[in-house]
Amino acid sequence: MSAQPVENLSPEQAWELLGGSVIARLAVSVDNYPDIFPLNIYAADGKILFWTAEGTKLSELAVNSRVAVETDAFTSRIGWSVVAKGHARILTTSAEIEAASKTPLDPWIPLPRTTYVEIDVDEITGRRFVFGDDGDREIR
């Protein structure tokens, strides 16, 4: 890891961190009104998969499929953040749904989920942070 306080990650490093994540946030926007949703995800092979029920997320994705997904982690000394952007689509064919059901994607709570959504990522960025004293104040 770099000694710099902020390190830009390569796409490969960002994918590695994203692939190890199970919790993320989905950002959508409809009519210039942004919304954000916590998700459990599975990320691999240039795609992010999540499972959801009918509601606001699906309605907003039907209007604007362009989305961003953010995930991060931190300790008291280091942290990182990854943002992936792409187009979301509902999986509809039986082959797609069967393949999605075989991934290690598990819901947080046992509510019925009826729809798999896949995000085809076309842009991914990541940064790693080293926390510390900025000279004027202590970071806690």
Side-chain angles (χ1 to χ4, degrees):
M1 181 166 54
S2 170
Q4 296 297 317
V6 179
E7 175 189 2
N8 290 318
L9 302 176
S10 70
E12 294 79 19
Q13 291 170 311
W15 270 109
E16 184 177 342
L17 292 170
L18 182 62
S21 299
V22 296
I23 297 172
R25 285 152 293 283
L26 173 72
V28 298
S29 182
V30 175
D31 293 331
N32 293 319
Y33 184 80
D35 217 340
I36 193 160
F37 303 94
L39 300 172
N40 60 309
I41 63 165
Y42 172 70
D45 303 321
K47 300 186 185 307
I48 300 169
L49 182 68
F50 67 92
W51 211 18
T52 190
E54 289 186 28
T56 306
K57 274 190 295 277
L58 288 179
S59 297
E60 291 184 5
L61 291 174
V63 174
N64 181 6
S65 68
R66 186 81 182 147
V67 299
V69 172
E70 191 276 342
T71 188
D72 54 53
F74 63 92
T75 68
S76 62
R77 296 178 185 259
I78 61 170
W80 58 264
S81 172
V82 170
V83 175
K85 297 176 184 176
H87 290 275
R89 69 180 187 87
I90 296 169
L91 301 184
T92 57
T93 70
S94 57
E96 290 174 326
I97 293 167
E98 182 179 342
S101 71
K102 292 179 181 177
T103 67
L105 177 63
D106 291 317
W108 291 349
I109 53 177
L111 293 176
R113 267 107 177 141
T114 57
T115 307
Y116 282 106
V117 177
E118 180 182 83
I119 300 166
D120 186 17
V121 175
D122 55 37
E123 181 183 341
I124 188 167
T125 58
R127 296 189 303 169
R128 188 172 283 127
F129 311 98
V130 177
F131 305 137
D133 187 353
D134 70 0
D136 294 327
R137 62 181 171 84
E138 184 178 324
I139 304 294
R140 298 175 197 200

